[in-house]
């Protein structure tokens, strides 16, 4: 298959073929992003004051904690508890993925002089996963005005206690992951769980887990959604139908008129219950990522497939790239608040394909799978 290339807005994205070192676990591929002109890139992702792209300091040994030692961060604070939870989840999820794949994650850790930092783990060119990443981060920054405005448009006020236009300092901690298997019958999966707090006391939780298959297997979709529903139901019977619909709406690729995948759950701005209750819900969701996803990968990872199946997977991955670079709030927020670029773009697959005016054959498996992404259904 020839390597694809694409032109996205004022940025050229070139996917170059991988190099092979004899061991699949050390095979490498390169994604090159070439801005047409520096000003065109900066105009879209103009940062607020605060952290910058260049102030991440690599460390050989990850810190015991990334949370600043200050009055807001005692052992019982949500800042400290949430960081402990996501770091534990990262360890557990990576261990289970390594057991399935047989290759190890590469780990990078970094800190910032002003506080915070992160730990990125990426497994690339594995036996089962072409690319899998699990990141945790702690951020101290200033919320971009457009983020405050966007939240207000959703009916959420994030600048309580601040004057109009006044900078809104914030703390955030989160875990984020995307896993792209090799086999086109094994689906991609994404999850993210996060906690935000402004310096004047406003807090909220967000997150979700979702599935992006190239080919629809009903038993896989039912299993994945059923695990998420059981998790939601343990905390609030209204959560699953509400967050499932939110997920279907959030992952809509508007310029294509289709969803990125089969959805799952998604929520944001959640602070309508005591923080401890929502924390326990987030913890439960993160703890059930592997039970929802890995049995599906185990079932499909060794399935035989053709070049046409692989081609369709690459076309669907292109949709994944389009969504993440155009619409994903986390990607744009990270770029506008000086996030670490390698960690932000970890979600992108190693390979993808764009073909001019491609449509699947009517009645084909590909067409049926695409229809399920255009018209969501209740799988659980």
């Amino acid at each position: 298959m020839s390597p694809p290339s694409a032109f996205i807005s004022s940025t050229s994205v070139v996917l170059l073929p991988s190099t092979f070192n004899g061991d699949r676990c050390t095979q490498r591929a390169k994604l090159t992003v070439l801005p047409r002109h520096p000003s065109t890139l900066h105009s879209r992702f103009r940062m607020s004051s605060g952290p910058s792209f260049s102030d991440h300091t690599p460390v050989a040994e990850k810190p015991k904690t990334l949370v600043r030692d200050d009055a807001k961060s005692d052992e019982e604070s949500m800042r400290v508890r949430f960081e402990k939870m996501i770091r534990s989840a990262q360890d557990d999820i990576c261990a289970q993925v390594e057991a399935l794949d047989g290759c190890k994650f590469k780990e990078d850790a970094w800190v910032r002089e002003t506080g915070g930092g992160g730990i990125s783990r990426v497994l690339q060119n594995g036996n089962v996963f072409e690319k899998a990443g699990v990141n945790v981060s702690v951020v101290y920054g200033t919320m971009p005005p457009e983020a405050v405005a966007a939240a207000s448009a959703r009916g959420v006020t994030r600048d309580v206690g601040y004057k109009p236009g006044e900078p809104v300092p914030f703390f955030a901690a989160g875990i984020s992951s995307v896993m792209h298997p090799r086999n086109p019958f094994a689906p991609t999966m994404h999850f993210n769980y996060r906690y935000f707090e402004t310096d004047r006391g406003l807090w909220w939780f967000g997150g979700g887990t979702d599935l992006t298959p190239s080919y629809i297997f009903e038993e896989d979709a039912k299993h994945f959604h059923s695990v998420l529903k059981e998790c939601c139901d343990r905390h609030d019977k209204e959560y699953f139908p509400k967050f499932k619909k939110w997920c279907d709406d959030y992952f809509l690729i508007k310029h294509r008129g289709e969803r990125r995948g089969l959805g799952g759950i998604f929520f944001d701005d959640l602070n309508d219950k005591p923080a401890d209750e929502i924390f326990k819900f987030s913890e439960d969701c993160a703890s059930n990522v592997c039970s929802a996803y890995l049995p599906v990968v185990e079932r499909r990872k060794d399935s035989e497939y053709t070049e046409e199946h692989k081609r369709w997977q690459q076309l669907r991955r292109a949709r994944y790239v389009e969504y993440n670079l155009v619409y994903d709030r986390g990607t744009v927020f990270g770029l506008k608040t000086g996030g670490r670029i390698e960690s932000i773009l970890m979600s992108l697959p190693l390979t993808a394909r764009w073909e001019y005016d491609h449509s699947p054959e009517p009645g084909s498996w590909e067409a049926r799978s695409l229809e399920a992404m255009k018209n969501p259904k209740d799988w659980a």
Side-chain angles (χ1 to χ4, degrees):
M1 185 183 300
S2 60
S5 62
F7 178 76
I8 300 179
S9 184
S10 57
T11 303
S12 295
V13 178
V14 183
L15 299 177
L16 302 177
S18 61
T19 59
F20 187 66
N21 291 342
D23 180 356
R24 175 170 279 175
C25 294
T26 60
Q27 190 180 0
R28 297 187 302 275
K30 185 176 182 181
L31 171 63
T32 304
V33 182
L34 304 173
R36 282 277 183 184
H37 189 279
S39 64
T40 61
L41 184 63
H42 295 162
S43 63
R44 181 169 180 215
F45 298 120
R46 197 172 305 282
M47 290 181 291
S48 60
S49 59
S52 69
F53 296 126
S54 60
D55 69 352
H56 306 89
T57 303
V59 291
E61 186 174 343
K62 56 181 177 285
K64 182 179 179 180
T65 180
L66 297 165
V67 177
R68 286 195 307 225
D69 184 12
D70 58 27
K72 297 177 182 289
S73 303
D74 62 75
E75 285 297 310
E76 297 303 315
S77 71
M78 188 55 68
R79 296 184 178 195
V80 171
R81 292 173 63 198
F82 201 87
E83 190 216 9
K84 286 181 178 178
M85 184 274 283
I86 60 178
R87 289 182 65 165
S88 176
Q90 184 186 44
D91 289 342
D92 179 62
I93 292 166
C94 288
Q96 292 191 56
V97 171
E98 287 178 344
L100 177 62
D101 189 281
C103 290
K104 298 290 186 181
F105 282 85
K106 173 187 174 182
E107 179 177 283
D108 294 318
W110 70 96
V111 295
R112 280 172 156 160
E113 185 177 348
T114 56
I119 303 166
S120 285
R121 293 182 186 167
V122 177
L123 189 161
Q124 192 162 282
N125 287 299
N127 296 305
V128 175
F129 293 97
E130 186 175 280
K131 187 179 181 186
V134 186
N135 296 344
V136 298
S137 62
V138 171
V139 179
Y140 294 85
T142 303
M143 198 167 295
E146 54 267 45
V148 176
S152 299
R154 300 195 301 272
V156 180
T157 302
R158 289 189 171 170
D159 55 355
V160 172
Y162 295 88
K163 298 176 182 178
E166 184 180 358
V168 180
F170 72 91
F171 164 91
I175 181 169
S176 181
S177 173
V178 178
M179 301 188 188
H180 297 287
R182 289 182 173 278
N183 196 299
F185 297 132
T188 288
M189 185 275 301
H190 156 264
F191 76 88
N192 171 284
Y193 292 96
R194 55 196 180 271
Y195 172 72
F196 276 78
E197 196 178 285
T198 69
D199 278 9
R200 295 185 183 170
L202 183 65
W203 57 266
W204 65 93
F205 293 79
T209 305
D210 61 278
L211 195 69
T212 303
S214 300
Y215 289 92
I216 303 299
F217 291 89
E218 189 163 328
E219 62 179 317
D220 295 349
K222 286 183 176 180
H223 168 81
F224 185 83
H225 282 253
S226 293
V227 172
L228 297 183
K229 182 179 185 300
E230 290 169 5
C231 183
C232 288
D233 287 351
R234 284 194 289 271
H235 300 268
D236 191 321
K237 297 287 186 181
E238 295 182 2
Y239 273 174
F240 184 75
K242 178 181 178 180
F243 296 161
K244 195 269 185 189
K245 182 180 185 306
W246 201 341
C247 188
D248 290 335
D249 293 342
Y250 177 72
F251 288 109
L252 175 65
I253 308 173
K254 297 175 184 177
H255 61 274
R256 297 287 189 180
E258 61 193 64
R259 274 77 186 168
R260 189 175 74 177
L262 290 187
I265 59 172
F266 175 86
F267 61 93
D268 202 0
D269 312 312
L270 200 62
N271 62 1
D272 59 347
K273 294 183 178 183
D276 191 58
E277 289 187 26
I278 306 176
F279 169 77
K280 290 177 180 177
F281 170 60
S282 300
E283 183 178 39
D284 199 8
C285 288
S287 297
N288 279 277
V289 166
C290 288
S291 59
Y293 178 58
L294 293 187
V296 174
V297 178
E298 179 71 48
R299 189 182 297 141
R300 306 299 170 195
K301 66 183 178 65
D302 297 318
S303 300
E304 293 185 5
Y305 59 87
T306 67
E307 282 298 316
E308 283 303 303
H309 293 139
K310 192 67 179 177
R311 174 172 167 249
W312 176 249
Q313 179 198 48
Q314 300 299 295
L315 290 166
R316 293 310 306 169
R317 283 183 174 174
R319 297 293 202 265
Y320 204 95
V321 173
E322 289 177 28
Y323 179 86
N324 279 29
L325 294 183
V326 177
Y327 300 111
D328 186 74
R329 282 186 210 161
T331 300
V332 174
F333 187 86
L335 290 171
K336 288 186 176 181
T337 55
R340 182 174 182 262
I341 298 301
E342 290 299 323
S343 300
I344 295 169
L345 300 182
M346 172 274 293
S347 64
L348 300 182
L350 280 184
T351 57
R353 183 183 184 96
W354 282 263
E355 292 184 13
Y356 181 76
D357 198 26
H358 179 274
S359 295
E361 289 291 326
S364 65
W365 193 357
E366 291 83 359
R368 294 194 302 272
S369 298
L370 180 57
E371 179 63 24
M373 297 174 200
K374 290 183 176 181
N375 296 293
K377 61 179 288 187
D378 292 329
W379 299 101

